[in-house]
Amino acid sequence: MIKKKTLTPVLLGGIFLLMLGLSFAAVPLYDIFCRVTGFGGTTQVSKEAPDIVLDKVVSVRFDTNVNKLPWNFKAKTNVMDVKIGQVNSIEFEVENYGNETTYGVASFNVSPSTFGKYYSKLGCFCFEKQELKPGEKAIYIMTFYLDPEMVNDPGTKNIKDVTMSYTFFSSDYYKQPQI
């Protein structure tokens, strides 16, 4: 039988190990939670398009920003009217107007945030390192659809327009040392 003098340190040690394990699991668990629920405007990644296309149309606005990069970044089309369930592609033009090769990573969010779980990407340049040489121009394509399940959700069934906001951030991590 364990004595009271040893029970307290054993319990405290167990609680410490549990808290330590939870701290390491927090990021992946939060990521899973956001992807499943669309929390915070997290969009979905899909491998295949839905089987049905509805007649309901939603306007999707594209907002583009650049943070600490000498890049011009814009959507070829600022607003697209899309049918729910229909696969759509949007092109983004990017140009490095700086004097050296730079690297960037794009992140995004959707507004209203409750809509995130119904905005599904089939292909995107997001979260991948992009390299542009001085004066180089590139076209990045994002393919997406709006999940038909959105019409069954009381929080999203009446939404008529959403905004996808993309920001390219400088990625000094990828910067190559000068020789």
Side-chain angles (χ1 to χ4, degrees), residues 35-93:
R35 294 208 180 278
V36 169
T37 65
F39 181 76
T42 302
T43 62
Q44 305 301 305
V45 176
S46 182
K47 293 186 191 301
E48 57 186 51
D51 294 333
I52 61 170
V53 175
L54 305 177
D55 285 332
K56 182 175 176 163
V57 174
V58 174
S59 290
V60 180
R61 299 178 193 290
F62 297 96
D63 174 49
T64 56
N65 303 284
V66 178
N67 186 359
K68 297 183 181 176
L69 280 171
W71 291 11
N72 287 322
F73 173 47
K74 63 182 180 177
K76 279 195 172 182
T77 305
N78 290 330
V79 179
M80 288 178 71
D81 290 333
V82 300
K83 287 186 175 182
I84 296 172
Q86 181 178 23
V87 175
N88 302 276
S89 290
I90 177 81
E91 291 185 351
F92 294 88
E93 298 172 330

Side-chain angles (χ1 to χ4, degrees), residues 5-50:
K5 288 183 178 181
T6 58
L7 183 62
T8 301
V10 167
L11 282 174
L12 288 175
I15 291 171
F16 171 77
L17 291 174
L18 177 67
M19 297 302 284
L20 183 65
L22 286 175
S23 70
F24 283 104
V27 171
L29 289 175
Y30 182 74
D31 183 55
I32 291 168
F33 171 76
C34 289
R35 294 208 180 278
V36 169
T37 65
F39 181 76
T42 302
T43 62
Q44 305 301 305
V45 176
S46 182
K47 293 186 191 301
E48 57 186 51

